[in-house]
Amino acid sequence: MSRIKQDLSSSPYGRTQLAMPSTSPSSAGGTMLQTARIAAGIVPHVCVIGAGIAGLRCAEALIQRGMKVTLMEGRNRIGGRMHQSDHLGHVVDLGPNWIHGTENNPIMDLAKETQSTLHSWGERQAIFDEKGKMLEETKANRYSEIVCGIIADAFKYSNDNSSAIPPNRSLMDFFKNKVKGFLQSDSDGPGFNGDTPRMEELNHEQKTLLRIAQMWGAFIGDPIERQSLKFFWLEECIEGETLFNASTYKAILDRIAETAIAKAEIQFSTKVVGVESRRDEVIIRAETGSPQTFDEVVMTAPLGWLKRNQAAFDPALPPRLSEAIESLGYGHLEKVYITFPTAFWEVPTSPSNSRSLSDSSDSTRPGFLHWLHPLYTPQNPDNWNIEALNLSALPSAEAHPTLLFYIHGPCSLHLTSLLTEAQTSSYYDILTRFFEPYYSLLPNYSKSAHHCAPTKVLATQWSTDELSGYGSYTNFPVGLEEGDRDVEVIRDGEGMPDRRVWFAGEHTAPFVAIGTVTGAYWSGERAAERIAEVYGLGGEGVKDGERERKVEGKMEKVFEAGRGAQGLDAGGMNAMGL
């Protein structure tokens, strides 16, 4: 069994719904604390910081266990990094687009429940070389198959040899060795006599394969030169297909948020600046308003936020927890949507211009478009690869004449800086100027044609977003020495539960779901279960020491309140969520 599967199989994750606990004092598994609380009419009051997927699922699970929940959210909306916009005239996701893995995935179950439209792009793609020439489809497919095979080999090599791999080895190092070996075997084959033209062709193929490999950077939010080979196995996802959510995540978000919206207190535009742990309570301080006191706190802020705000915790975070937060990487992925009057690249516009991306004996249309190391535009100073999704190839009900560009790492930071420094009026010009060299290479493009001129553009700017942690999601950089243990340390809290503070978010997920919506969902569920177990309300995964601390710290308070329980009326009981 791989280390990914071992981690998942030994964890309490995977349940898509928590069973409603019995509130009878004599129920199986009931504790003295639970009995006393019911008699006193008191339930734990939990503050969940962040109304993203982890926070919303945590709130839902806590409420299902009968607890009182206050959600504090810095924005004026729910969702966190999951957000949609209708600026283009149709709704698009600014955050996650994908469901990573279809087997035993609660997000897949929610997609079915909400009748979301999911799409698999298939194998077809269009690849443009450094001079802007589209590669022959057979060659493009061959290159892609080779790269995918090397990725699979890298996962296995990393999983089997992680302890022996030096921390400074990157995924790109692995690719270079594999590609060199592949081409060496080709040159040693029959019919090759060492002639210069053939050797030049092999060298060019090597460069092309390595450039295609760099597209993996969009998965991690950084160039693959920065991806740790030692911990590449942590990037493996849940088994099954990776599907694009063609109808956006809106319905799934709304479904996850239902319970929290109906039954939790949600404080919007509340930016937390202080988390002070005391023996019997946690005091939360926001930028505005008075301090508030809670029994427990679940921190779901992104890893990037934690990196910049460790000083918000009092007492200071344990050294090993602080080290783990600093050690893990946090990538940068931005999305740029460019919408046209029509998908000019799909349908010929005149009898004399009969090309299209759909020209093939295969009836499917290319979903992925890649521009490798472009040397033909000064707008791209470091010749970063560019890739896009052809959204006109979605199922007809969801299709629209839009290209969705993914940019990552230094490229995303460069473009975001241009947008940040610019005036709002030049937003359109900056984006079209940067991306025109790429979409102008598509079939049927004419600069003077109205149907080839973008009608609307939309770009994310997560790397300038304080509440997203100035980035996108967790990754594993070169130089990392204990990546798996770092995740476990943050996941378990390294003593923070004894201070009544718990962590959730995609950075605390099972290894198989780090950086994904599923991971965020599972992590919120797990935090709720651990708190529920502490209070004798069910759940799994809590350590014995945590239960003992809670019983000792709360029993006196509960029994003292219980002596005055006769004075509680129905209104008071309802106010506390019973």
Side-chain angles (χ1 to χ4, degrees), residues 327-349:
S327 296
L328 294 176
Y330 199 59
H332 300 91
L333 177 72
E334 304 291 356
K335 301 174 183 182
V336 179
Y337 290 89
I338 301 183
T339 294
F340 299 83
T342 61
F344 65 84
W345 55 89
E346 290 285 4
V347 182
T349 56

Side-chain angles (χ1 to χ4, degrees), residues 275 277 306 309-327 485-486 488-503 543 546:
V275 180
S277 297
L306 293 176
N309 292 278
Q310 292 195 43
F313 296 89
D314 181 19
L317 296 178
R320 183 63 184 89
L321 177 57
S322 177
E323 177 187 355
I325 290 171
E326 289 298 325
S327 296
R485 181 60 190 141
D486 290 332
E488 292 171 338
V489 165
I490 304 175
R491 180 195 296 172
D492 295 335
E494 195 70 7
M496 291 300 287
D498 290 333
R499 303 184 192 176
R500 310 180 185 281
V501 177
W502 313 75
F503 290 93
K543 298 177 181 178
E546 292 168 359

Side-chain angles (χ1 to χ4, degrees), residues 463-478:
S463 61
T464 64
D465 188 312
E466 173 193 5
L467 296 176
S468 75
Y470 299 100
S472 303
Y473 44 75
T474 304
N475 63 22
F476 303 94
V478 167

Side-chain angles (χ1 to χ4, degrees), residues 127-403:
I127 300 178
F128 297 83
D129 67 16
E130 69 277 8
K131 296 180 181 179
K133 180 181 179 182
M134 188 187 299
L135 300 184
E136 295 178 0
E137 187 168 352
T138 53
K139 182 175 289 189
N141 290 340
R142 173 174 169 267
Y143 289 158
S144 295
E145 288 174 5
I146 293 172
V147 168
C148 288
I150 295 176
I151 288 289
D153 290 344
F155 275 131
K156 185 176 188 308
Y157 180 81
S158 178
N159 183 74
D160 293 346
N161 303 281
S162 181
S163 62
I165 299 174
N168 63 348
R169 283 202 69 194
S170 71
L171 178 59
M172 177 57 91
D173 292 331
F174 186 86
F175 260 100
K176 286 180 177 178
N177 288 337
K178 278 284 188 177
V179 169
K180 182 178 179 181
F182 170 79
L183 295 179
Q184 182 65 43
S185 63
D186 196 357
S187 64
D188 291 340
F192 182 75
N193 57 12
D195 62 286
T196 300
R198 177 56 179 149
M199 184 59 69
E200 290 178 350
E201 182 181 353
L202 288 176
N203 288 335
H204 185 266
E205 285 193 336
Q206 177 177 349
K207 290 181 180 179
T208 300
L209 287 171
L210 293 178
R211 287 166 181 167
I212 295 175
Q214 289 174 329
M215 292 299 180
W216 184 265
F219 288 88
I220 62 174
D222 267 321
I224 65 171
E225 290 86 350
R226 300 182 188 177
Q227 165 67 52
S228 167
L229 179 61
K230 185 179 184 73
F231 293 105
F232 185 54
W233 63 273
L234 287 169
E235 296 288 354
E236 196 167 357
C237 291
I238 297 170
E239 292 183 357
E241 292 184 272
T242 296
L243 300 175
F244 188 86
N245 195 337
S247 53
T248 80
Y249 261 103
K250 188 178 187 309
I252 294 176
L253 173 60
D254 290 345
R255 170 61 187 84
I256 295 172
E258 280 179 1
T259 300
I261 290 174
K263 299 183 178 181
E265 175 195 10
I266 304 180
Q267 299 178 7
F268 289 112
S269 302
T270 302
K271 293 184 179 181
V272 171
V273 296
V275 180
E276 180 184 346
S277 297
R278 295 184 178 180
R279 175 176 172 78
D280 295 324
E281 60 192 14
V282 184
I283 300 172
I284 300 298
R285 292 182 171 83
E287 281 187 346
T288 59
S290 302
Q292 301 180 60
T293 301
F294 301 92
D295 295 306
E296 308 288 336
V297 169
V298 182
M299 173 61 75
T300 74
L303 176 65
W305 188 94
L306 293 176
K307 285 177 175 289
R308 292 170 176 260
N309 292 278
Q310 292 195 43
F313 296 89
D314 181 19
L317 296 178
R320 183 63 184 89
L321 177 57
S322 177
E323 177 187 355
I325 290 171
E326 289 298 325
S327 296
L328 294 176
Y330 199 59
H332 300 91
L333 177 72
E334 304 291 356
K335 301 174 183 182
V336 179
Y337 290 89
I338 301 183
T339 294
F340 299 83
T342 61
F344 65 84
W345 55 89
E346 290 285 4
V347 182
T349 56
S350 69
S352 61
N353 190 358
S354 59
R355 291 191 309 143
S356 81
L357 285 183
S358 301
D359 289 346
S360 170
S361 56
D362 185 349
S363 60
T364 62
R365 293 174 288 174
F368 292 96
L369 312 173
H370 306 287
W371 294 266
L372 306 179
H373 195 69
L375 299 174
Y376 42 84
T377 170
Q379 302 298 326
N380 188 336
D382 286 342
N383 313 118
W384 297 300
N385 286 0
I386 302 294
E387 64 179 299
L389 283 177
N390 172 18
L391 300 188
S392 70
L394 290 173
S396 57
E398 311 294 346
H400 40 88
T402 300
L403 297 175

